[in-house]
Amino acid sequence: PAMDVCQEVALVCFKAHAATTARWVSFPVTAMYHFGAVRENFTDEDRVAQCESGIILLSGLANVNVEPIVPYLPAVLNFSILHFPSTTRFAEVALASPVESFRQRHRLPALLHNILAALPPLLADREDVDEETLDVVNSLLVILRTGMDVRHMTLDWTRSVSDFSSPLARRPAPTDITQARSFGGLSPLAMIRELVRALTPVLPSLPAAWGYEAIQWGLNAPDFSIVLKAHASYSALGVPADTNMLQSLLHYLAVMIN
């Protein structure tokens, strides 16, 4: 009931001032929220609760009007992929409770699905969108919808993380997402590449902005499994390091040295 009231309030705010509301509900999934100056204002329990609320509210508001949410897609997509249910068993014990993990398993696929489902009207207005992009959107929608219906959709990070042991090795050509799967789940790198292909027409800066967001998690997250996923995500995006990225790396090295 409390969440229902929050959704109604968010909807009223969204209809009154969509841009401000979109920034408000997406903030809990950003690296700035988790690792920036505001971190000291919240406990770990606060962050978990606000992330959960943000995911629920974003999922609902995307059905109303996705356009105000588009500028915040780098953070939303990055958080969704890093925290998506996974078949990969890392050495660390997961910090989330079974209830939180269960809820995320349903919420994150639904969030991505609702964002993609709202894309066609935006893509229809663009002359540079071809049928291949629309096919990518439809393919992702089918995959996410099926995962939501059977309540079992996971990402398998095993290959992506194991590649770190041989960084100079030649990699095979990227595989289509419908083929990039193992016994346990889909390839997260294939998922990232397809999301970029589907959403870059509405946000050209998506690869670079997502890359910056991913590296912030890779440098600051306390959970080593998230660090590995973030670096694998950044590698999949294939964006070169810019000034902001180099500043973050230098800051991280300075902290490590001190």
Side-chain angles (χ1 to χ4, degrees):
M3 195 65 232
D4 292 340
V5 173
C6 289
Q7 287 178 297
E8 290 296 330
V9 171
L11 180 58
V12 172
C13 294
F14 193 66
K15 290 180 177 178
H17 203 298
T20 300
T21 308
R23 183 174 70 242
W24 167 56
V25 298
S26 62
F27 186 58
V29 302
T30 64
M32 183 181 297
Y33 172 78
H34 289 272
F35 313 117
V38 299
R39 176 180 174 84
E40 299 179 357
N41 300 329
F42 304 99
T43 65
D44 289 341
E45 291 76 14
D46 291 335
R47 282 191 289 275
V48 171
Q50 292 188 26
C51 285
E52 186 71 30
S53 298
I55 290 167
I56 295 171
L57 294 175
L58 282 167
S59 184
L61 295 177
N63 286 327
V64 178
N65 182 9
V66 76
E67 194 165 5
I69 300 172
V70 167
Y72 309 103
L73 284 179
V76 173
L77 296 176
N78 180 69
F79 185 92
S80 298
I81 293 297
L82 295 185
H83 295 84
F84 212 92
S86 172
T87 56
T88 308
R89 300 303 297 261
F90 292 93
E92 295 180 341
V93 177
L95 299 178
S97 71
V99 174
E100 289 158 5
S101 298
F102 179 80
R103 292 171 69 179
Q104 284 188 355
R105 185 167 64 244
H106 296 282
R107 300 295 184 185
L108 292 174
L111 172 59
L112 295 179
H113 177 274
N114 291 352
I115 290 172
L116 290 166
L119 274 185
L122 297 182
L123 296 177
D125 295 335
R126 304 187 62 90
E127 297 180 355
D128 56 343
V129 175
D130 53 20
E131 290 187 6
E132 186 176 351
T133 301
L134 297 177
D135 289 341
V136 170
V137 173
N138 290 332
S139 176
L140 285 170
L141 284 172
V142 170
I143 291 170
L144 290 166
R145 181 73 258 178
T146 302
M148 291 160 57
D149 288 342
V150 300
R151 298 190 176 185
H152 181 73
M153 179 181 178
T154 58
L155 299 180
D156 184 358
W157 293 87
T158 307
R159 175 64 183 272
S160 309
V161 171
S162 63
D163 283 346
F164 289 145
S165 62
S166 52
L168 300 180
R170 184 172 296 179
R171 309 291 179 216
T175 307
D176 182 81
I177 192 170
T178 58
Q179 303 297 323
R181 58 180 182 269
S182 67
F183 178 79
L186 289 170
S187 163
L189 305 193
M191 175 71 81
I192 290 169
R193 286 191 292 265
E194 296 296 85
L195 286 170
V196 169
R197 289 176 63 190
L199 292 161
T200 297
V202 297
L203 185 65
S205 63
L206 176 62
W210 187 347
Y212 178 76
E213 190 75 15
I215 208 65
Q216 298 307 310
W217 284 83
L219 294 176
N220 295 289
D223 185 335
F224 189 58
S225 64
I226 295 294
V227 171
L228 291 174
K229 293 176 184 178
H231 283 287
S233 298
Y234 178 73
S235 177
L237 290 164
V239 294
D242 59 10
T243 303
N244 291 331
M245 194 76 64
L246 293 175
Q247 287 177 345
S248 298
L249 290 171
L250 289 173
H251 174 74
Y252 180 75
L253 288 173
V255 171
M256 291 291 292
I257 293 172
N258 291 333

